[in-house]
Amino acid sequence: MTLQTSNIMPDLVATRRHLHSIPELGLSEFKTSDFVAAELTALGYDVTRGLAKTGIVATLRNGTSTKSIGIRADFDALPIQEETGADYASTHPGLMHACGHDGHTAMLLGAARLLAERRQFDGTVHLIFQPAEENFGGARLMMEDGLFERFPCDAVFGLHNEPSLPFGHFAFLEGPMMAAADECKITVVGQGGHGAEPHAAADPIVCGASIIMALQTIASRNIHALQSSVITVGAFNSGVASNVIPERAEMNLTVRALENNVRDELEHRIRLIAEGQAASYGMRAEVDYERGYPPMVNHKAETDYVRAFAKRFAGGDKVSDLPRPFMGSEDFAYFLEERPGTYFMLGTAKTGNDPALHNPKYDFNDDILPVGATFWTELAEDFLRGA
């Protein structure tokens, strides 16, 4: 880290903690959006609001080059009751910044300030403040509102804090890094009856249990052993009394894959198994399958570039490749389907036993703020370096 950021550290912390105190769910980040827009306007950026309802793009131009870079921070919160006990804890009951999006936003606002003050680049910087990463796919919604047509980016970059990684450690992965996330609801339609007379009914609970067990064979028998996939039945609901066979049973699944061909096969097999198993019991299965975020696939050239830059920035001992992809999902994937770029992790560990992301006791490590702000600043300056 070469820039001196001690003079802005108090402001970075104050910004992060203010954002932490006003968490808002996806597409409802009105206070957050107003605050971010005001900060950027005061710094002299061209501020465009309203993409994906609450999203913001802040543009700064310098020099004569037509080259451009996009850097993204997400700013939505989660429906979690905070248990940190912090002085700056959530003032919105039942809502919390439990994933560090407050820190992502504060770091990018810090970079916005440094870029505006220094102006040591030749080209255009687009800072993308995105809503609704956690649920509604704010990245996709911003693109539907013309993000890259209105704000062309030669490449786009994003990061996520990771409390399980050593402080200040950068971790990369070329290719698939995070999984597609699909949702599926299977409804088995049987025939209700008396629990003591099961032969006179068609029990959807028994059929549903058979479907659940059969679904577990998809990963082991239909998908190549070296291709990752997950099918989890997170809910199985049916019946209200021990002596009543219900009419219906419902299952809710999350389905994950790192490759689109595997994703297609999972959906195909889930439908076949649900419908075939139900038919074998003389019943009917209704399958409602909904595609969610696609796999997030980092581009090779941009990953190589940022990894090499991180080594110059932090030192080779603080840069590594992730050992494997995550089966979680990230809507930055939509950006990477349309523009080259990469997404990486930045370690924020305090003690080595920090609360995980989405934990009610999690709190973003403010000490990493100047690292992230400086990294984004110097990356933008390097990417847009004049000839």
Side-chain angles (χ1 to χ4, degrees):
M1 187 168 66
T2 58
L3 284 178
Q4 297 298 314
T5 56
S6 58
N7 61 323
I8 69 168
M9 181 63 173
D11 290 341
L12 290 173
V13 173
T15 294
R16 204 284 296 183
R17 294 184 177 185
H18 171 69
L19 292 170
H20 188 86
S21 72
I22 56 166
E24 297 168 295
L25 296 181
L27 306 182
S28 300
E29 309 96 329
F30 301 111
K31 292 180 182 178
T32 303
S33 185
D34 287 346
F35 174 82
V36 170
E39 293 287 304
L40 293 164
T41 300
L43 292 171
Y45 281 77
D46 292 330
V47 177
T48 303
R49 305 187 64 181
L51 284 84
K53 197 172 183 178
T54 52
I56 296 169
V57 178
T59 300
L60 187 67
R61 297 178 177 86
N62 196 59
T64 59
S65 173
T66 59
K67 195 171 184 180
S68 59
I69 184 174
I71 303 174
R72 173 266 215 170
D74 38 14
F75 59 35
D76 58 322
L78 286 158
I80 295 175
Q81 182 63 42
E82 183 166 350
E83 298 178 8
T84 63
D87 293 341
Y88 47 87
S90 171
T91 58
H92 297 167
L95 303 181
M96 178 190 176
H97 271 296
C99 202
H101 295 183
D102 50 346
H104 299 168
T105 300
M107 288 191 293
L108 194 54
L109 284 173
R113 174 174 169 177
L114 293 170
L115 287 164
E117 290 175 351
R118 289 163 56 86
R119 292 185 178 268
Q120 294 183 13
F121 63 92
D122 185 13
T124 300
V125 175
H126 296 303
L127 305 181
I128 303 165
F129 293 86
Q130 182 209 304
E133 184 278 327
E134 296 286 359
N135 44 15
F136 300 115
R140 175 180 56 81
L141 297 175
M142 291 188 83
M143 290 168 60
E144 290 175 357
D145 285 340
L147 174 64
F148 291 128
E149 291 77 21
R150 297 165 65 182
F151 308 97
C153 297
D154 293 320
V156 62
F157 304 100
L159 67 75
H160 205 292
N161 80 97
E162 179 46 63
S164 69
L165 286 175
F167 180 89
H169 193 96
F170 292 82
F172 298 89
L173 190 63
E174 174 193 333
M177 178 178 168
M178 300 188 81
D182 297 338
E183 298 289 326
C184 180
K185 179 180 178 181
I186 300 173
T187 302
V188 178
V189 182
Q191 180 178 328
H194 199 293
E197 299 284 333
H199 63 282
D203 191 341
I205 295 178
V206 172
C207 179
S210 179
I211 290 172
I212 290 171
M213 295 305 295
L215 291 174
Q216 306 313 307
T217 67
I218 296 176
S220 65
R221 290 297 177 267
N222 301 125
I223 305 300
H224 193 285
L226 297 180
Q227 292 178 301
S228 298
S229 62
V230 173
I231 299 173
T232 294
V233 181
F236 183 22
N237 299 304
S238 186
V240 294
S242 63
N243 63 343
V244 177
I245 293 174
E247 288 278 336
R248 305 163 75 88
E250 295 182 351
M251 289 153 274
N252 295 99
L253 289 62
T254 187
V255 184
R256 307 294 173 110
L258 293 170
E259 301 168 58
N260 281 318
N261 64 325
V262 174
R263 189 185 196 188
D264 293 341
E265 183 66 7
L266 292 175
E267 178 179 356
H268 173 63
R269 292 290 176 175
I270 288 170
R271 291 184 182 278
L272 281 180
I273 284 177
E275 293 166 359
Q277 288 280 326
S280 74
Y281 283 86
M283 300 181 219
R284 175 168 54 87
E286 300 170 352
V287 181
D288 181 10
Y289 198 99
E290 183 176 347
R291 293 283 177 118
Y293 298 173
M296 190 182 73
V297 182
N298 284 327
H299 296 245
K300 175 176 173 50
E302 286 68 30
T303 304
D304 289 345
Y305 163 69
V306 181
R307 184 194 295 110
F309 178 82
K311 290 179 179 179
R312 300 196 304 271
F313 177 86
D317 61 325
K318 291 189 176 181
V319 178
S320 66
D321 281 353
L322 292 165
R324 58 173 177 78
F326 296 96
M327 296 310 288
S329 62
E330 164 61 63
D331 75 344
F332 194 78
Y334 292 111
F335 289 171
L336 294 178
E337 286 186 328
E338 295 296 324
R339 290 294 184 274
T342 196
Y343 186 89
F344 55 94
M345 312 304 286
L346 176 59
T348 59
K350 297 179 183 178
T351 67
N353 191 31
D354 303 290
L357 301 174
H358 292 215
N359 184 298
K361 292 183 171 61
Y362 165 85
D363 192 13
F364 186 88
N365 186 353
D366 286 333
D367 291 340
I368 204 69
L369 290 169
V371 178
T374 304
F375 184 85
W376 281 140
T377 302
E378 294 192 5
L379 180 73
E381 291 175 348
D382 187 80
F383 189 85
L384 299 177
R385 191 180 304 279

